[in-house]
Amino acid sequence: MQKINSIGMTDPVPTLVRPNFRFWGGFRALMAPVLLFALYLLAFGLIQFRQTGFLDNDSYYHMRMAALIREQGLKVDFTWLPLSTLDREGYTNLHLFHHVYLSLFAGDGSPESLVFGGKVASVLMAALIGVVLWAILRAEKVRWPALW
């Protein structure tokens, strides 16, 4: 139905748009990223947990720093600086946010809990990054975003 405005033109009558709150529609839209996250967890978990230790040497340093942050706070007394290429007076934790994230998984600080926690943290972060990348590619309408 149309009505005539003050200058003699017809304007469409606005209609009420009802939002679609169907449960299964929202549930199906949520299932793709959840299933993809589970698939990434499985894939990255199989890669990480096939070995008893870390896959690289830097992970031991990062998890120990995470344990020190958990024990001492953000300002860590890094006594091993003379044995490295870093300067004692000008030391800055270049990976601070990464170490804070890893400190959530440091456990009790024992070597076994540090390795297990580091593996769990890396699997979770890799799966999350995979789902975020999928969402970006899907929003950009890239074909087969889950395969990228």
Side-chain angles (χ1 to χ4, degrees):
M1 179 176 176
Q2 295 179 344
K3 69 178 189 177
I4 299 176
N5 63 14
S6 62
I7 58 172
M9 302 293 292
T10 57
D11 288 334
V13 175
T15 58
L16 179 64
V17 178
R18 294 184 183 169
N20 185 359
F21 290 113
R22 293 181 304 170
F23 173 75
W24 292 110
F27 180 73
R28 273 187 261 147
L30 187 63
M31 283 307 293
V34 168
L35 289 175
L36 193 60
F37 185 73
L39 179 69
Y40 285 142
L41 281 178
L42 178 67
F44 292 125
L46 286 174
I47 292 169
Q48 277 292 337
F49 287 99
R50 287 187 69 113
Q51 286 186 320
T52 56
F54 287 122
L55 299 174
D56 68 329
N57 293 331
D58 287 348
S59 298
Y60 294 100
Y61 159 73
H62 291 297
M63 283 309 295
R64 186 63 189 138
M65 285 299 292
L68 288 173
I69 285 176
R70 192 170 186 157
E71 294 167 6
Q72 301 176 10
L74 294 177
K75 183 77 170 136
V76 175
D77 183 28
F78 195 67
T79 59
W80 302 276
L81 279 175
L83 304 174
S84 72
T85 59
L86 300 173
D87 179 22
R88 180 178 278 287
E89 288 79 32
Y91 172 70
T92 302
N93 189 349
L94 300 176
H95 306 97
L96 178 65
F97 293 122
H98 180 59
H99 293 156
V100 169
Y101 167 71
L102 290 176
S103 70
L104 300 172
F105 301 92
D108 62 358
S110 67
E112 296 81 19
S113 69
L114 289 178
V115 170
F116 180 76
K119 287 175 177 272
V120 170
S122 66
V123 167
L124 285 174
M125 187 56 73
L128 180 65
I129 289 171
V131 171
V132 168
L133 179 63
W134 168 81
I136 291 170
L137 292 175
R138 186 170 179 255
E140 293 294 325
K141 297 182 179 29
V142 174
R143 295 175 75 187
W144 301 100
L147 296 180
W148 285 91

